[in-house]
Amino acid sequence: MNVRRWGISVLAAGLALALVGCGEEDEPKRPKAAPAEADYPVYAATMDPVEAAMTLVPDGAKTLAVTDYDEVKSLFGLDAVTSRSSPADQNELWRRADKEAAQVSGGLLREVDQRLRDKFKWGAADVTWEARFAGGGKEGFVIKVADRVKPGPAIKAGVGPLKGAEFDPKTHLITKNTVTPDAENWAAQEAMVAVAGGPATSTYVVKGCAEGGPKEKTRLAPVEAYSVEFGGGIATLRLGEDRDDLFVRLELGDQAAAYKKVFTNGVADPSTGRIGFRVTNPVTAATLVTSKPVPFAVCD
């Protein structure tokens, strides 16, 4: 299985000391600590979608669902389809995506696609990637749109989920309830970065472990975060590097009938903390991981 490895360095906070002199010349100068200023990772256009989304997810959020629609289009050889394409081509894209692709974020603009196309001359087919975060009282999204798109009028009109959103013409990001640059985000947390993965059709990330652990104690190591990444007919569970509990986790997954039917041929790599699967149905697999606890990532 060829699974791309990915990593970024987490930026740490720094303290600077300033020497301030006062009073008489013979009075010793006392060092005064400058206020600490956190330096958190920020969005960059070169980042993969999951990494980029993490720079905007609030610390308190519990889940992140990312779908890369450029990757979805590539699955079917429909890379050139946009809202300017023929209705037949757009319908073919969504028909195949809904039938064959894992879309963990749900298609944020799909329900208002026709209205966007009719009135604002852009639509869901112009979304490059999207990310939805939730949990812990935090709920919002990030939508990366094609450079030509001007979402301002639709946002001002409050079309569907765009009500209350903001648009940055420099980054081409539509955001809602995302974190500000001076607040901690998921990209500043090593445990979250460790499971971010790389380019994929969809990636679902969870802070913490899944519910529903074994009744009896096992040799499971703690889970700070995990992700399930989809690419074609392959799924990859990431738990962080250097784990000796992956084979036990594979056995636990086999005890969950719904997962056993969809996630097959599991192969574990303890050094990278990954378990790879073939999925019999990507759509069903995406529904499972976003609606039911993932048995391979439970707490002990």
Side-chain angles (χ1 to χ4, degrees):
M1 181 181 302
N2 182 17
V3 181
R4 291 176 289 267
R5 298 191 64 187
W6 173 93
I8 66 172
S9 298
V10 179
L11 300 177
L15 291 176
L17 293 178
L19 294 177
V20 180
C22 61
E24 300 297 329
E25 291 184 359
D26 59 348
E27 183 177 349
K29 296 179 180 180
R30 298 178 180 178
K32 183 178 180 180
E37 182 177 347
D39 190 9
Y40 299 118
V42 296
Y43 170 85
T46 55
M47 293 176 172
D48 289 327
V50 177
E51 177 187 0
M54 283 187 173
T55 67
L56 296 160
V57 176
D59 171 56
K62 300 301 181 184
T63 64
L64 172 66
V66 181
T67 302
D68 187 336
Y69 281 102
D70 279 353
E71 291 285 338
V72 172
K73 292 176 183 179
S74 292
L75 287 176
F76 314 122
L78 297 172
D79 306 71
V81 174
T82 70
S83 65
R84 293 180 174 180
S85 301
S86 69
D89 285 346
Q90 292 183 65
N91 289 338
E92 176 68 1
L93 167 63
W94 299 125
R95 183 189 70 79
R96 296 200 64 181
D98 291 344
K99 186 177 180 181
E100 304 173 45
Q103 302 176 72
V104 295
S105 59
L108 287 162
L109 300 180
R110 290 286 299 282
E111 291 187 0
V112 294
D113 180 45
Q114 190 66 55
R115 182 180 175 189
L116 288 172
R117 286 190 285 140
D118 290 346
K119 190 170 182 179
F120 302 99
K121 308 306 179 186
W122 67 281
D126 298 315
V127 172
T128 302
W129 58 264
E130 69 178 29
R132 184 201 302 258
F133 59 85
K138 310 292 183 181
E139 186 171 338
F141 61 74
V142 184
I143 303 174
K144 176 73 162 62
V145 293
D147 292 358
R148 71 168 184 83
V149 174
K150 300 186 184 333
I155 292 174
K156 186 177 181 180
V159 178
L162 296 178
K163 184 177 181 180
E166 299 179 353
F167 176 64
D168 184 342
K170 294 181 180 179
T171 61
H172 303 284
L173 295 179
I174 303 172
T175 58
K176 189 171 183 178
N177 298 331
T178 51
V179 73
T180 56
D182 61 345
E184 186 171 5
N185 56 48
W186 272 23
Q189 300 171 29
E190 186 176 357
M192 306 313 300
V193 172
V195 300
T201 305
S202 279
T203 305
Y204 188 65
V205 190
V206 177
K207 177 182 280 191
C209 59
E211 298 177 357
K215 295 180 180 179
E216 297 181 359
K217 287 291 182 181
T218 61
R219 51 189 297 269
L220 296 179
V223 173
E224 294 184 70
Y226 69 91
S227 69
V228 183
E229 174 186 286
F230 296 98
I234 302 295
T236 303
L237 172 75
R238 296 176 185 270
L239 293 162
E241 296 183 350
D242 298 322
R243 301 190 67 94
D244 61 1
D245 60 345
L246 297 191
F247 296 104
V248 177
R249 291 185 177 281
L250 270 174
E251 294 176 1
L252 288 174
D254 286 340
Q255 298 172 20
Y259 274 88
K260 185 177 181 179
K261 184 177 180 181
V262 180
F263 289 78
T264 65
N265 304 103
V267 179
D269 182 359
S271 65
T272 62
R274 296 176 299 177
I275 302 176
F277 304 90
R278 290 200 175 276
V279 290
T280 59
N281 186 317
V283 176
T284 302
T287 300
L288 272 176
V289 301
T290 56
S291 62
K292 296 182 180 298
V294 176
F296 311 103
V298 295
C299 304
D300 201 351

